[in-house]
Amino acid sequence: MDFTNKVIVVTGGGSGIGRACCYEFAALKGAVVVVDRDEKGGEETRHKIVADGGRAEFFAADVSSESQVEDLIKKALARTGGIDVLVNNAGIQRYGTATTTSAQEWDEVLDVNLKGAFLMARYTIPAMIQRGGGAIVNTASVQSVAAVRNSLAYVVSKHGLLGLTRCLALDYAKNNIRANCVMPGAIDTPMLRWAASLDDHPEKVIDACNRLHAVGRMGTADEVARVIAFLASDEASFMTGAAIPVDGGLLVPVGGMMFQESGTGAKKA
Ligand code: NAP
C-alpha cells in the first residue's frame, strides 16, 4: 500500500485507534491531517510524524459542531490542496439504559459518534469529487450489529454509523468515492481503560474483555489501523458499503448460536 501524494484526514487522531491510523498512513507515505478536540493529543501525534520525517498538520476541532467542521475543512484544503481519504474515527462512550440515559447524554453521544461523521462527510465529499474520487472509512463497532446491555446511546450511534456508511457508498459510487467501515471488538486504548476504571474492579473488566474474543485477548489500535488503511487504499478498489469485523472472532459465536437454534437437524457431536 502506498499513499504517496494522498491527503488523509483522521478524526480523533490524538489518541487510540485514530492516532494509530495517523502513524500508519504516515508510514505509508501519506500526508496526514490530524483532527481532534484534544489539542495536546493531536499536537503530539503531528509532532511525532514530522519528527519521523513524515508530513502532518493538526487542526483542533469538535466534529459535532457544524461551524467548526466547515472551518476545519476549509483550512485543511488551503494547506493541502485536496482530500483523498476521510477516516471518521472520533467517538465517545457513555453508559445507560433508556431510563438512566439523560436526554443530554443521548445528544452528546449521537452528536459526536454519528452527526460528527455525517458533518465530516458533508464538507469533505465536494473536495473528493473535485479530486476525481476518494475513500471514506468509518470506525464503527461490533456494537453496530449487536447490542450490549446498559449502552443504549452508544449502540444506537454505532448502528447508525453502519447505515451512514451504506448510504454514502450508494450515493457517491458514481463519483468514484468508496465508503466502508470497520467493526472493532474490544481494543486496548485510553477509551477502554477509562471505561474499565468506572468499575470497582478494573482488572476484572480487562480480563473479561480479553475473554470476549475467540483469540483470547483484546486487539491493539495498530491492528485496527492496518485494516482501515487497507480499506482506504486502492487494494480495496472493489469494496464499498462493507462492514468489516476486526474483532478477534468476537462475533463468531453469535452466528454459531443462531445456527444451533435454527432447527437445521444437524446432529450433535
Ligand atoms: P480514544 O482513545 O478515547 O480516542 C478518541 C479520540 O477522539 C480522543 O482523542 C477524543 O478526545 C477524540 N474525540 C472525542 N470526541 C471528539 C469530538 N467531538 N471531536 C473531535 N475529537 C473528539 O478512543 P478509541 O478507543 O481510540 O476509539 C476510537 C473510535 O473507535 C471510537 O469511535 C470508538 O467508538 C471506536 N471503537 C473503540 C473500541 C475500543 O474498544 N476501544 C471498540 C470499537 C469501536 P477526548 O479525549 O477529548 O474525548
Side-chain angles (χ1 to χ4, degrees):
M1 290 186 285
D2 186 345
F3 287 87
T4 304
N5 298 326
K6 303 266 190 203
V7 176
I8 302 102
V9 176
V10 181
T11 70
S15 177
I17 295 168
R19 172 173 277 175
C21 287
C22 293
Y23 294 162
E24 180 72 14
F25 283 112
L28 295 168
K29 303 195 178 74
V32 180
V33 175
V34 184
V35 177
D36 207 292
R37 68 181 177 186
D38 171 9
E39 295 202 21
K40 186 167 170 284
E43 179 51 30
E44 272 171 17
T45 303
R46 185 203 69 80
H47 185 266
K48 179 165 187 330
I49 291 172
V50 173
D52 289 349
R55 291 175 61 200
E57 304 280 345
F58 167 58
F59 295 98
D62 177 345
V63 296
S64 67
S65 156
E66 180 164 19
S67 59
Q68 289 189 33
V69 168
E70 186 176 14
D71 188 50
L72 141 79
I73 297 301
K74 263 192 207 143
K75 284 185 188 150
L77 286 170
R79 293 286 294 196
T80 63
I83 296 172
D84 302 284
V85 173
L86 168 63
V87 180
N88 277 315
N89 168 84
I92 55 171
Q93 168 69 288
R94 297 287 179 269
Y95 293 96
T97 63
T99 47
T100 62
T101 298
S102 67
Q104 189 190 346
E105 284 169 326
W106 168 275
D107 285 347
E108 191 190 358
V109 173
L110 272 289
D111 279 359
V112 177
N113 295 7
L114 188 53
K115 185 176 157 198
F118 153 66
L119 289 174
M120 287 297 297
R122 187 174 197 285
Y123 286 96
T124 304
I125 285 170
M128 286 183 173
I129 291 173
Q130 267 196 345
R131 197 94 149 167
I136 299 170
V137 185
N138 296 324
T139 308
S141 167
V142 288
Q143 292 177 47
S144 296
V145 290
V148 295
R149 289 185 183 90
N150 201 39
S151 202
L152 176 90
Y154 186 83
V155 168
V156 170
S157 73
K158 292 296 180 179
H159 274 61
L161 200 50
L162 175 54
L164 178 77
T165 304
R166 289 171 167 163
C167 289
L168 294 174
L170 276 182
D171 289 340
Y172 296 100
K174 63 180 182 300
N175 302 107
N176 196 30
I177 296 172
R178 297 180 299 103
N180 295 288
C181 65
V182 291
M183 301 192 296
I187 309 299
D188 196 356
T189 67
M191 177 195 274
L192 185 133
R193 293 280 162 177
W194 164 80
S197 76
L198 300 176
D199 195 90
D200 290 340
H201 301 285
E203 68 290 349
K204 284 191 182 160
V205 177
I206 298 296
D207 188 43
C209 284
N210 283 324
R211 282 187 283 105
L212 274 177
H213 306 84
V215 298
R217 65 169 177 87
M218 288 189 276
T220 66
D222 290 345
E223 287 175 309
V224 182
R226 286 197 288 272
V227 180
I228 289 176
F230 166 72
L231 289 171
S233 78
D234 293 342
E235 303 298 315
S237 52
F238 199 51
M239 294 183 72
T240 197
I244 308 299
V246 188
D247 70 346
L250 182 150
L251 287 172
V252 171
V254 179
M257 279 184 314
M258 278 166 59
F259 183 74
Q260 281 162 22
E261 290 166 12
S262 66
T264 56
K267 284 191 181 125
K268 283 187 184 160

